[in-house]
Amino acid sequence: MDAARTLGRKGTSQQVNADHDAQLRLLDLQAVDTSLAQLAHRRRTLPELAALAEREQRAAALADEVIDAETRAGDLADQQRRLENEVDAVRARAVRDEQRMQNGGLPAKEIESLQHEVATLARRQASLEDELLEVMEQREEADSAVAQLTEQRGALDAERAELIATRDSAFAEIDSALEARSTERAALAGEAPSDLLALYERAREHGGGVGAAMLRQRRCEGCRIELSGSELTAVRTAAPDEVVRCDNCRRILIRTDESGL
Ligand SMILES: [Zn+2]
């Protein structure tokens, strides 16, 4: 092994040698790793997650609206009760006054005073009853707003439950695929020579998840760049067990029958 090879191209890493079959199996490992990354991405970006987040936001806003509407309906119910009690009190007093006058035996001055009070009470009762009617109308509107918002909340809860069920079933499917792929990965990684595996992991870390790429039709499948004449010569003359890397992206280049060498 000459000095340049010991230092590796660009002097950044040690030259690694590995049986060509072991190099080919890196492509299987890469396929499994790519699949694992896709599954993880799918798990993170399920459309149900965004839909659920949006429903959560709406549910929080709706909960506030329900509280406001219930508070208003409650206040109006209190007002209605208060007015009804007042009407009852006014009416009772008028009845008592009438009774006293009917019983007779009262001085004329007192009768006059009672008549005056009965008239005042009648006006007061009419005014309270108008107010009561208005409050009852407002209360009816407030109650119907509460009912409408509660119905909306129920529909939203049902949507959320459905989304959660869809999400969970997607999670279960993805997780079982992840588990199967992880088992495959462990087996493939277990049979790979440790220095080759270490090189692959480093290249994968720097290569956005892709550490090994096929050389196909003189092109690196990792970065899609065609190798130059001198690069091709270097790859062509390299021994089969010599692990070669793309000068451009530094990924491990796997030579196959389709490499066009
Ligand atoms: Zn490349």
Side-chain angles (χ1 to χ4, degrees):
M1 199 178 285
D2 63 33
R5 283 203 179 152
T6 305
L7 284 171
R9 287 205 184 96
K10 293 183 179 169
T12 52
S13 55
Q14 296 275 310
Q15 174 60 47
V16 172
N17 290 283
D19 184 73
H20 190 65
D21 282 344
Q23 293 186 40
L24 281 174
R25 278 195 294 276
L26 273 190
L27 289 177
D28 296 334
L29 182 59
Q30 180 62 70
V32 171
D33 277 339
T34 299
S35 169
L36 279 168
Q38 284 166 347
L39 287 165
H41 179 262
R42 208 188 130 208
R43 199 183 198 285
R44 277 196 311 273
T45 58
L46 279 178
E48 287 77 17
L49 297 178
L52 264 174
E54 191 264 342
R55 300 301 189 286
E56 299 297 340
Q57 228 171 1
R58 268 169 51 190
L62 199 54
D64 287 346
E65 283 182 59
V66 169
I67 288 172
D68 287 350
E70 281 173 347
T71 305
R72 178 164 163 72
D75 288 350
L76 288 164
D78 288 346
Q79 274 187 54
Q80 185 181 336
R81 260 191 304 278
R82 186 176 53 76
L83 286 166
E84 282 167 350
N85 289 340
E86 266 191 83
V87 168
D88 285 348
V90 167
R91 198 183 284 139
R93 191 173 171 94
V95 167
R96 197 193 58 188
D97 287 353
E98 299 277 10
Q99 203 73 58
R100 281 182 69 196
M101 286 189 287
Q102 272 169 28
N103 288 346
L106 290 173
K109 201 178 167 194
E110 196 163 336
I111 288 177
E112 197 185 327
S113 160
L114 280 174
Q115 280 170 340
H116 181 71
E117 186 174 277
V118 165
T120 306
L121 287 169
R123 281 196 301 276
R124 174 78 183 132
Q125 185 178 338
S127 148
L128 283 171
E129 279 171 349
D130 284 350
E131 211 181 321
L132 181 60
L133 206 62
E134 200 174 313
V135 165
M136 283 168 80
E137 276 170 14
Q138 285 176 8
R139 190 188 167 189
E140 207 174 305
E141 280 171 29
D143 284 346
S144 113
V146 169
Q148 211 177 346
L149 287 168
T150 305
E151 196 185 312
Q152 279 179 34
R153 186 169 60 184
L156 196 56
D157 284 347
E159 273 182 54
R160 283 160 74 194
E162 203 175 315
L163 283 166
I164 286 169
T166 313
R167 177 202 66 187
D168 287 350
S169 100
F171 272 174
E173 188 198 316
I174 292 168
D175 289 347
S176 114
L178 278 170
E179 202 183 316
R181 290 280 175 279
S182 298
T183 307
E184 278 181 59
R185 190 197 202 272
L188 286 165
E191 32 179 74
S194 60
D195 54 349
L196 180 65
L197 187 63
L199 182 65
Y200 165 76
E201 298 291 15
R202 279 203 305 278
R204 192 162 73 96
E205 198 179 314
H206 294 293
V210 180
M214 195 193 285
L215 177 64
R216 193 201 296 268
Q217 306 300 327
R218 303 176 180 181
R219 195 182 292 273
C220 166
E221 291 272 277
C223 63
R224 305 272 162 188
I225 285 182
E226 193 167 324
L227 272 63
S228 72
S230 60
E231 285 168 337
L232 276 173
T233 306
V235 171
R236 194 180 292 126
T237 55
D241 72 336
E242 195 179 316
V243 177
V244 294
R245 298 173 72 183
C246 172
D247 270 356
N248 180 55
C249 69
R250 304 302 293 149
R251 294 190 175 98
I252 298 170
L253 270 182
I254 309 295
R255 288 161 286 171
T256 74
D257 296 342
E258 298 169 57
S259 292
L261 291 170

